[in-house]
Amino acid sequence: MVNMENQIVTLINVKKYFQIRRGIWGTIRRLPILYAKAVDGVSLAIYEGETLALVGESGSGKTTLGRLILKLIDVTEGYIFFKDILVNSLKGEELKSYRRNVQIIFQDPYGTLDPRYTIGGALKEPLIIHKIAKSSTERMEIVSKILEEVKLVPPDEFMRRFPHQLSGGQRQRVAIAKALILNPKFIVADEPVSMLDVSIRAEILELMKSLKEKFNLTYLYITHDLSTARYIANRIAIMYLGKIVEIGPAGQVIDDPFHPYTQALIAAVPEPNPENKFRMRELKIIGEIPSSVFIPSGCRFHPRCPFAMEICKRVEPELIEIKPNHYVACHLYSGNKRYEDTINIPDKFSEIISIRSSKA
Ligand code: SF4
């Protein structure tokens, strides 16, 4: 059940810039330092109980954003909150406790499971690190229960197997079990089905959906695939070159997209039925996503946009409300309500974060 009052994760103007190494000649010739702006000013509220899909092409910054929330990497600028905890400053035991609440499901389950460990051994590891369960028997009971939850039965048999003895779908079920075993509240699922056969994808997404309800989870579902986003998500955020350009209820974003980039992404989805309106909305965009080192001025989509106007080259559009809870960053539309103004900052931090006043 989504509660639009309760933000579980809040991002305020988050940026992540990576310095580009220019080598010895760059140093000798004193070339200016360059930065890849992977995430370039994202403000976002994720609500308890929802699945928010973050959709974009490769290079859009969506995976970097997921890693920032997990604090696998640090922000360059901005603030990330988990409920009313400031994630930026977490260290030591506090960070360890945060990691119990926030887990990740990776794209490649094979890469995240140590081939030398049995499935039982791999699932026991986080319980040992976080000192959960008093005895080995108790740990094995927890492992057995979680294997049942992800439908790897009989659990005793799967516990003894090694990763190479499982199918791709079974390995992804183990990855989901590993993410769930610490009883987290929030899960970043980074392209969790993109490496699986199409026939297995629906099963895994269905499993994720049912586990979300059962354990009252919140998901950030990162993908480049709009069809799976539509299937699993309550809301969809479209990311382009480090920024969110459209965000709204999943059905509305897919069926009635406003941003030319979203329209182009949807037009690119193969549609077997020629009567379908997706096909009629066909829109061609020019070229490829530019480098995040040299981000175009104004609207960063303008060099590729078939509707670009003079203002688009100069002024960066803000996310504004076009329909209830549906926000778009594009000069083709006007509105009064800014998305940033809908995000609550935890009381104890609101004074030090002056995002609104600095933009007034
Ligand atoms: Fe296209 Fe201008 Fe809208 Fe950007 S702001 S998407 S360039 S019309």
Side-chain angles (χ1 to χ4, degrees):
M1 180 80 178
V2 182
N3 182 348
M4 294 287 279
E5 298 293 309
N6 285 353
Q7 288 172 202
I8 186 164
V9 171
T10 306
L11 276 64
I12 304 292
N13 200 23
V14 168
K15 297 182 181 176
K16 180 65 190 177
Y17 295 172
F18 295 99
Q19 191 177 330
I20 305 289
R21 293 193 186 281
R22 307 199 73 162
I24 187 75
W25 281 111
T27 312
I28 292 168
R29 293 166 66 195
R30 297 197 178 165
L31 294 176
I33 296 169
L34 294 178
Y35 293 93
K37 298 175 179 175
V39 174
D40 195 21
V42 169
S43 295
L44 179 66
I46 305 176
Y47 300 100
E48 212 166 326
E50 78 166 333
T51 297
L52 174 71
L54 195 56
V55 180
E57 293 169 278
S58 89
S60 61
K62 57 192 190 306
T63 292
T64 304
L65 197 67
R67 281 159 198 261
L68 288 168
I69 293 173
L70 289 152
K71 209 175 186 299
L72 296 176
I73 49 177
D74 289 324
V75 297
T76 304
E77 215 179 294
Y79 302 89
I80 298 176
F81 299 98
F82 177 73
K83 297 187 176 175
D84 62 352
I85 297 167
L86 180 61
V87 175
N88 303 43
S89 57
L90 294 180
K91 285 190 195 118
E93 281 305 308
E94 285 179 336
L95 181 58
K96 201 170 158 189
S97 145
Y98 174 65
R99 294 256 164 84
R100 270 187 72 170
N101 278 310
V102 179
Q103 288 285 314
I104 184 164
I105 303 169
F106 288 104
Q107 178 181 26
D108 174 13
Y110 205 56
T112 56
L113 293 171
D114 191 324
R116 297 166 304 169
Y117 281 78
T118 60
I119 300 308
L123 292 178
K124 248 185 354 186
E125 204 187 0
L127 299 176
I128 295 168
I129 293 169
H130 289 270
K131 299 189 175 70
I132 293 170
K134 293 189 189 78
S135 63
S136 175
T137 318
E138 212 178 315
R139 279 194 287 273
M140 290 326 278
E141 276 169 20
I142 297 173
V143 170
S144 171
K145 195 155 177 298
I146 202 73
L147 283 172
E148 279 179 10
E149 294 289 359
V150 297
K151 312 273 183 286
L152 289 175
V153 285
D156 291 352
E157 191 191 315
F158 279 96
M159 264 190 243
R160 287 193 295 271
R161 290 198 196 171
F162 286 89
H164 72 271
Q165 295 172 313
L166 302 181
S167 68
Q170 288 170 336
R171 279 197 291 268
Q172 196 55 297
R173 284 171 193 268
V174 173
I176 293 171
K178 202 171 175 192
L180 283 180
I181 203 155
L182 295 174
N183 204 10
K185 299 275 174 284
F186 182 79
I187 290 187
V188 175
D190 189 1
E191 304 261 17
V193 295
S194 63
M195 290 183 75
L196 300 176
D197 286 348
V198 176
S199 57
I200 300 164
R201 284 182 192 175
E203 279 175 28
I204 297 294
L205 290 175
E206 200 48 52
L207 175 70
M208 285 178 62
K209 264 184 163 182
S210 66
L211 292 169
K212 173 177 164 275
E213 295 309 318
K214 185 162 186 182
F215 296 107
N216 198 19
L217 298 165
T218 306
Y219 289 142
L220 176 66
Y221 178 80
I222 296 172
T223 186
H224 63 278
D225 178 2
L226 278 161
S227 353
T228 61
R230 167 75 187 260
Y231 182 75
I232 197 168
N234 303 96
R235 287 191 305 148
I236 291 178
I238 305 288
M239 214 168 158
Y240 182 78
L241 216 50
K243 280 242 173 194
I244 291 173
V245 296
E246 182 157 5
I247 181 167
Q252 268 187 44
V253 171
I254 302 280
D255 294 339
D256 198 10
F258 287 93
H259 198 282
Y261 177 61
T262 315
Q263 291 174 358
L265 281 183
I266 289 167
V269 175
E271 176 48 61
N273 178 3
E275 301 294 313
N276 195 309
K277 58 184 177 176
F278 281 6
R279 182 62 68 86
M280 290 182 227
R281 207 189 284 125
E282 199 157 321
L283 180 78
K284 291 265 184 299
I285 52 174
I286 310 148
E288 299 198 342
I289 191 165
S291 156
S292 59
V293 179
F294 303 105
I295 290 183
S297 60
C299 170
R300 52 196 66 202
F301 186 58
H302 86 255
R304 302 175 76 192
C305 181
F307 307 113
M309 305 167 282
E310 180 53 33
I311 188 176
C312 305
K313 295 179 191 160
R314 292 183 286 105
V315 182
E316 182 155 38
E318 284 188 292
L319 277 170
I320 47 152
E321 193 176 49
I322 304 295
K323 277 184 171 181
N325 299 318
H326 191 159
Y327 297 82
V328 182
C330 174
H331 292 305
L332 290 172
Y333 310 100
S334 58
N336 297 321
K337 197 163 154 191
R338 295 163 68 229
Y339 178 69
E340 281 187 355
D341 293 336
T342 68
I343 299 174
N344 291 322
I345 298 168
D347 283 347
K348 59 182 176 183
F349 295 104
S350 56
E351 275 180 27
I352 57 164
I353 300 170
S354 55
I355 176 174
R356 292 179 182 110
S357 55
S358 67
K359 294 212 165 178

